[in-house]
């Protein structure tokens, strides 16, 4: 599985490269600045991009902007954002693109290597990997949440992290039947009619974030 990595800190960049390679990923290019990221993504068209948000030269949001621009030229390019910060505007734009896997993890909240590797694979496979704090900050800005109950908000947050009904039930200590009921209520309140589309649960979250 081919990876393009963007991280400005040399020790962390080298560490991530070694870690990914230890789990049989191929890091085809590792860049340390925003201007180098976009051409690297276009040139390699990797299976997944692991991108820091704040890169030189301005250390603002070069990583996210490059990822968004790359997805414009390579539709469906899987992108996993790995950052210390939540950048709501560009994060919402990235997450609202329904083509290809997306993820957003906070560096200081990754508790173990397995969690990170699982997130990279999940995004590469077209899924989502969202830190709960990122979900919380983004959803807190959306007025439509006012129509959801506290439990429905919890379920929606778990959905945004890509969890199955069984995993949500285990996390929230409720039955799978209750989870299904909450999810149906969420779809109804967000104006999403019944569908056989397997991605409807992810699309519901992404549509909501882009509302």
């Amino acid at each position: 599985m081919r990876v393009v990595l963007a991280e400005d800190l040399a020790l962390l960049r080298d560490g991530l490269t070694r870690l990914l390679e230890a789990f049989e990923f191929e890091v085809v290019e590792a860049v340390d600045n925003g201007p180098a990221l976009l051409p690297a993504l276009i040139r390699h068209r990797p299976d997944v991009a692991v991108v820091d948000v704040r890169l030189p030269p301005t250390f603002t949001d070069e990583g996210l902007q490059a990822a968004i621009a790359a997805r414009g030229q390579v539709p469906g390019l899987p992108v996993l954002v790995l950052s210390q910060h939540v950048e709501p505007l560009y994060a919402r734009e990235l997450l609202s693109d329904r083509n290809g896997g997306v993820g957003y993890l906070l560096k200081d909240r990754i508790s173990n290597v397995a969690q990170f590797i699982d997130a990279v694979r999940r995004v590469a496979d077209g899924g989502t990997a969202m830190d709960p704090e990122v979900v919380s900050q983004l959803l807190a800005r959306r007025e439509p949440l006012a129509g959801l109950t506290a439990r429905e908000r919890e379920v929606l947050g778990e959905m945004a992290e890509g969890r199955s009904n069984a995993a949500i039930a285990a996390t929230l200590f409720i039955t799978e039947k209750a989870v299904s009921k909450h999810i149906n209520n969420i779809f109804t309140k967000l104006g999403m009619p019944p569908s056989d589309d397997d991605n409807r649960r992810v699309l519901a979250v992404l549509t909501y974030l882009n509302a």
Side-chain angles (χ1 to χ4, degrees), residues 21-185:
E21 290 176 343
F23 283 86
E24 301 184 347
F25 292 91
E26 178 188 0
V27 179
V28 293
E29 188 165 353
V31 303
D32 63 0
N33 65 84
L37 177 56
L38 179 56
L41 293 174
I42 301 302
R43 180 168 57 254
H44 295 289
R45 296 176 178 245
D47 297 302
V48 60
V50 179
V51 177
D52 191 7
V53 171
R54 298 183 177 182
L55 295 172
T58 67
F59 293 97
T60 55
D61 48 28
E62 288 90 346
L64 266 178
Q65 289 198 50
I68 292 168
R71 283 168 71 96
Q73 298 186 50
V74 185
L77 174 69
V79 174
L80 174 62
V81 176
L82 187 62
S83 181
Q84 290 180 312
H85 313 277
V86 180
E87 300 290 346
L89 179 60
Y90 288 107
R92 189 173 294 113
E93 183 176 350
L94 174 66
L95 298 173
S96 66
D97 183 349
R98 301 176 183 180
N99 296 314
V102 291
Y104 201 128
L105 301 180
L106 298 179
K107 293 177 181 178
D108 59 355
R109 287 172 54 86
I110 297 176
S111 58
N112 58 67
V113 169
Q115 175 191 10
F116 171 67
I117 294 299
D118 176 69
V120 176
R121 288 180 173 148
R122 196 186 318 162
V123 171
D125 289 338
T128 59
M130 301 294 296
D131 187 288
E133 180 62 25
V134 175
V135 174
S136 176
Q137 289 194 35
L138 293 179
L139 295 184
R141 292 171 165 82
R142 312 313 300 171
E143 189 61 32
L145 267 184
L148 302 182
T149 66
R151 179 62 82 184
E152 288 165 356
R153 294 187 191 199
E154 290 180 317
V155 171
L156 181 56
E158 296 295 324
M159 289 168 59
E161 294 179 54
R163 299 191 192 282
S164 66
N165 283 18
I168 294 173
T171 300
L172 300 181
F173 302 102
I174 57 178
T175 66
E176 287 190 51
K177 183 177 180 180
V179 171
S180 295
K181 180 179 178 180
H182 288 310
I183 290 174
N184 286 333
N185 289 341

Side-chain angles (χ1 to χ4, degrees), residues 185-197:
N185 289 341
I186 291 168
F187 287 150
T188 299
K189 292 179 180 180
L190 297 183
M192 296 195 69
S195 168
D196 293 330
D197 188 348

